[in-house]
Amino acid sequence: MIALRAVIGGDTDIEAGLRGWTPMADQDLVRRLRGGEAAALRAIYEAHKDYLLTVATCLLLDRGLAEDALHDAFVAFAGQARRVRVRGNLRAYLAAC
């Protein structure tokens, strides 16, 4: 990350997406989501969308396709919200959706 910052200047999108994120907050949000709290889904989306969009854009090399993929992933995630079982990192779980 440091070398990339030196080349492009300032924060990378990935660094910006990681700011403020904690695994403990994710665990609480997943618990609240499984309990049916709609605000938890919104909070998960807000916490992880920038990182996931960056990853999808890097993989697909097309911002529009990446936005569609992110949308589809969250629709699928929301559809299984009460059954979500995250045993590790929520961010990694979402990236695999």
Side-chain angles (χ1 to χ4, degrees):
M1 292 287 191
I2 294 171
L4 182 58
R5 184 183 312 128
V7 172
I8 65 172
D11 289 343
T12 65
D13 288 340
I14 292 174
E15 287 174 318
L18 291 174
R19 205 172 291 117
W21 168 78
T22 67
M24 292 303 288
D26 278 351
Q27 291 173 3
D28 181 52
L29 287 171
V30 169
R31 182 186 53 75
R32 290 171 38 204
L33 178 68
R34 291 187 61 224
E37 189 176 324
L41 179 62
R42 181 71 177 173
I44 291 169
Y45 176 79
E46 290 298 327
H48 298 289
K49 68 178 176 161
D50 293 336
Y51 171 80
L52 295 171
L53 183 58
T54 299
V55 170
T57 301
C58 289
L59 291 171
L60 299 171
L61 302 176
D62 183 303
R63 176 75 178 218
L65 289 176
E67 289 171 350
D68 290 344
L70 179 63
H71 173 266
D72 293 348
F74 267 94
V75 168
F77 181 68
Q80 62 180 348
R82 292 190 183 261
R83 297 184 309 275
V84 169
R85 299 278 190 268
V86 179
R87 290 180 175 80
N89 183 313
L90 177 59
R91 188 163 276 181
Y93 178 92
L94 291 169
C97 286

